[in-house]
Amino acid sequence: MIYANADTDMPEGWPLTVPADALGNAAPLTLMSKQAVLVEGETAQSVFGDPFAMIPAEALDGFRGITRCKPHGRFEVVVIQFARDEVIFANVGALFFCPRTVDTLELAAEPADYNVMPLEQADLLVSFLEEEDAGSVSLDEAKTVFNAAA
């Protein structure tokens, strides 16, 4: 259980409300801001050579109706962990990253199976995903912008 301070005015840590169909999810859901989400797009394919990219949920604020919601009182957070890193389907079609359970020595010894994009890069990708949704994305521009940001 997490207890939210009703007086908190720091939206950076607030959970995100995801409307139905925003990420392939059948029903509305709530994500913690640091939850890793797998998104798909032509921009990711063009820039990274893979149509899928793992981004922190906080980068989705404002995308397809996803918004931060101020928490009140007590709410339950479920954390799913496996013996190895996994990407799972949730709520029918949304894809989420579930990290393996590790101790400090294992973490240093084994590379991660999946890498979550840094927030700044994820924000940039989401801006191009919005252009994809609008039918106005320029993949050449995306490559140029990502190369300049690297």
Side-chain angles (χ1 to χ4, degrees):
M1 293 288 179
I2 293 179
Y3 292 88
N5 178 350
D7 297 327
T8 185
D9 287 321
M10 297 171 31
E12 300 82 31
W14 292 356
L16 292 106
T17 299
V18 180
D21 297 321
L23 300 174
N25 47 305
L29 56 92
T30 302
L31 298 176
M32 298 304 291
S33 62
K34 300 298 182 192
Q35 171 66 51
V37 179
L38 196 67
V39 294
E40 180 180 11
E42 292 176 29
T43 302
Q45 175 67 49
S46 179
V47 173
F48 306 114
D50 186 335
F52 297 99
M54 188 82 62
I55 66 171
E58 62 190 317
L60 296 168
D61 187 16
F63 179 64
R64 296 181 181 162
I66 298 169
T67 57
R68 292 188 184 272
C69 55
K70 186 174 184 176
H72 296 283
R74 181 178 71 163
F75 60 97
E76 187 173 336
V77 175
V78 177
V79 178
I80 302 171
Q81 293 183 314
F82 297 93
R84 52 178 283 141
D85 290 345
E86 298 287 348
V87 173
I88 63 167
F89 283 100
N91 202 309
V92 180
L95 292 163
F96 301 111
F97 175 59
C98 296
R100 67 185 181 268
T101 305
V102 295
D103 64 30
T104 306
L105 295 176
E106 286 178 310
L107 189 59
E110 281 187 49
D113 292 332
Y114 300 94
N115 293 307
V116 180
M117 196 177 282
L119 180 59
E120 296 78 24
Q121 193 176 26
D123 285 338
L124 190 56
L125 177 61
V126 170
S127 71
F128 280 100
L129 293 176
E130 289 172 330
E131 289 183 24
E132 283 183 33
D133 283 356
S136 63
V137 70
S138 166
L139 299 178
D140 289 333
E141 177 188 356
K143 286 181 188 178
T144 301
V145 169
F146 273 93
N147 286 336

